[in-house]
Amino acid sequence: MSLFNQGEKAYLMLSDGTILEGISFGVKGTAIGEVVFTTGMTAYQETLTDPSYYGQIVTQTFPLIGNYGVNDEDYESAKSYVSGYIVREWCNTPSNFRMNENQTIDTFLKKHNIIGIHSIDTRMLTRKIREYGVMNGVITTENVYEKKDELLKLINNFEIVDAVKTVTTTEPIEYKSKLSKHKVALIDLGYKRNIRQELLNRGCDVIVLPALATAEDIKAINPDGIMLSNGPGNPAENVQTIENIKEICKLGIPIFGICMGHQLMALAHGATTEKLKYGHRGANQPVIDIDTDNTFVTSQNHGYAVVNNSVDKKYGYVQYKNANDGSCEGIRYTYNDINAFTVQFHPEAHGGPLDTAFLFDKFISMMEVTK
């Protein structure tokens, strides 16, 4: 059974003045954010706890969300960072052997103080974002018509700032693997837990460091490898982290960057980034490896991309491209003695696909060669 067209009214208003009427779920109130969509059919819990969604109102294009409930294992972080949540229909009678008893998507939203709206035409909303691009919006359980001018002003003034600074750890945290074969410094730009888990599964002790960790901080722990994690917001605003990465690269330690880590590594080498019209979010993004001509299905969540022709060939080359729009999906660095590669997609995707999980093994091999 689903809750569809039942309950208290809620409204979604976009920055162009469009108003959609739906039904409230989660907590009540008003939430402003950047309205984006994700095409994943599953992994809604991972989506809701991915720090890369900080400041965003997330729309699920799949029409039924919540049918397998919520559990304790699929959290990608300790809390939810989304500003709001939009679905067509949610299920209040989930069924799955892994779910926590009486834990629905609605109770999850209430627990994490997230405002949601359902029973709106998410297909129309997705088409609008695809045509006009990502735009700011508001979900509210108040009468939006009475406050339209006031809310429009707030919406149009909204901007996601200090995103990485907000989600990163404030102090180092160490996680021990059962084998302790390698030590990895994971620079937390808003990392997903499964990145850490993939490293632990491969015998790596992981030390999670704040986003502003310096080359000296890393030298002090003497790691075998460095992981630059995913994270939210505009990569170019992380000026100090970019400067730190320039010095970190001089250490000669193998580096693997994912998503935000990929973008900051590129910016540290003189490349530029651009905001995509509506981003890549979902578990079905095709990526081509230029070196092998193989195509992989990948999970992605990003609104910015490295500009292909801004990658300086004296530092490296674009190894991966998006098969749909040709945007940069990964860089192989080849200058001097550096041993580094970065990707825009998520090889650690907990909800799948697992096509590119081998990149973690590649990273392990790099550490074994230099150890």
Side-chain angles (χ1 to χ4, degrees):
M1 172 183 164
S2 66
L3 292 188
F4 193 66
N5 292 325
Q6 299 178 37
E8 182 178 334
K9 185 169 286 189
Y11 306 88
L12 169 68
M13 183 167 68
L14 303 176
S15 56
D16 65 357
T18 299
I19 297 175
L20 300 175
E21 296 187 8
I23 307 299
S24 167
F25 76 133
V27 299
K28 295 174 174 56
T30 299
I32 297 173
E34 183 181 61
V35 183
V36 301
F37 66 84
T38 178
T39 59
M41 296 173 66
T42 59
Y44 51 80
Q45 187 176 336
E46 289 90 337
T47 293
L48 284 163
T49 55
D50 182 349
S52 293
Y53 281 113
Y54 172 82
Q56 295 179 326
I57 295 174
V58 179
T59 306
Q60 298 272 181
T61 62
F62 191 70
L64 177 62
I65 295 296
N67 56 307
Y68 56 86
V70 175
N71 61 63
D72 293 330
E73 290 77 43
D74 291 344
Y75 280 80
E76 288 288 11
S77 62
K79 57 181 285 189
S80 178
Y81 288 97
V82 304
S83 293
Y85 199 47
I86 303 170
V87 304
R88 175 63 175 165
E89 184 178 0
W90 73 273
C91 177
N92 75 326
T93 55
S95 177
N96 188 275
F97 72 98
R98 296 176 67 239
M99 64 175 280
N100 296 344
E101 187 177 1
N102 299 320
Q103 284 290 301
T104 68
I105 196 70
D106 180 57
T107 58
F108 175 94
L109 296 182
K110 287 183 168 69
K111 176 182 177 181
H112 293 277
N113 199 36
I114 304 298
I115 297 171
I117 183 172
H118 69 93
S119 300
I120 69 168
D121 189 345
T122 51
R123 185 163 69 169
M124 180 277 285
L125 176 60
T126 301
R127 289 177 62 132
K128 188 178 187 67
I129 294 171
R130 280 181 59 91
E131 183 173 354
Y132 298 105
V134 166
M135 59 185 77
N136 293 341
V138 60
I139 299 174
T140 183
T141 52
E142 301 179 77
N143 190 323
V144 73
Y145 300 103
E146 295 177 355
K147 295 188 172 184
K148 183 174 181 180
D149 292 340
E150 175 188 341
L151 288 172
L152 273 176
K153 185 176 181 180
L154 291 173
I155 291 169
N156 286 301
N157 288 334
F158 175 80
E159 185 179 0
I160 298 173
V161 295
D162 294 332
V164 170
K165 178 181 177 182
T166 303
V167 304
T168 188
T169 184
T170 56
E171 59 185 22
I173 307 171
E174 184 170 5
Y175 298 89
K176 286 282 191 180
S177 73
K178 293 180 179 180
L179 300 176
S180 295
K181 295 193 298 183
H182 307 286
K183 184 192 295 182
V184 174
L186 171 55
I187 298 182
D188 176 19
L189 307 168
Y191 86 100
K192 295 198 294 181
R193 284 180 175 175
N194 210 44
I195 292 177
R196 183 185 77 209
Q197 192 58 49
E198 290 289 346
L199 293 170
L200 291 171
N201 290 345
R202 289 167 171 80
C204 299
D205 295 337
V206 179
I207 302 176
V208 179
L209 298 175
L212 291 177
T214 65
E216 290 302 314
D217 294 331
I218 290 175
K219 278 180 67 175
I221 63 175
N222 191 31
D224 303 306
I226 300 166
M227 172 69 73
L228 305 176
S229 83
N230 64 292
N234 182 351
E237 79 169 4
N238 299 283
V239 176
Q240 188 56 59
T241 300
I242 293 167
E243 290 302 312
N244 290 348
I245 290 173
K246 292 178 183 179
E247 297 303 312
I248 289 169
C249 288
K250 296 176 183 178
L251 298 175
I253 300 172
I255 298 174
F256 180 12
I258 294 175
C259 198
M260 175 64 77
H262 155 76
Q263 295 166 1
L264 297 189
M265 184 75 162
L267 289 168
H269 289 84
T272 57
T273 54
E274 62 181 352
K275 189 168 186 177
L276 298 171
K277 185 176 181 180
Y278 48 83
H280 300 151
R281 298 176 180 90
N284 58 352
Q285 296 286 332
V287 168
I288 300 172
D289 182 342
I290 305 301
D291 287 348
T292 65
D293 204 32
N294 289 332
T295 299
F296 303 101
V297 179
T298 69
S299 177
Q300 300 192 18
N301 173 21
H302 60 99
Y304 291 82
V306 175
V307 177
N308 280 311
N309 60 15
S310 73
V311 178
D312 194 329
K313 292 181 180 178
K314 73 179 180 182
Y315 295 122
Y317 64 94
V318 176
Q319 182 181 354
Y320 296 96
K321 286 189 176 183
N322 190 286
N324 289 329
D325 61 16
S327 60
C328 177
E329 292 281 4
I331 298 173
R332 182 69 171 111
Y333 290 87
T334 57
Y335 70 96
N336 298 334
D337 295 324
I338 193 168
N339 199 4
F341 70 99
T342 64
V343 294
Q344 183 65 75
F345 48 89
H346 287 272
E348 85 294 341
H350 193 200
L354 304 178
D355 292 31
T356 57
F358 69 88
L359 293 175
F360 283 94
D361 299 318
K362 177 180 177 179
F363 182 47
I364 299 298
S365 296
M366 289 163 55
M367 289 190 287
E368 290 175 343
V369 168
T370 58
K371 194 169 182 177

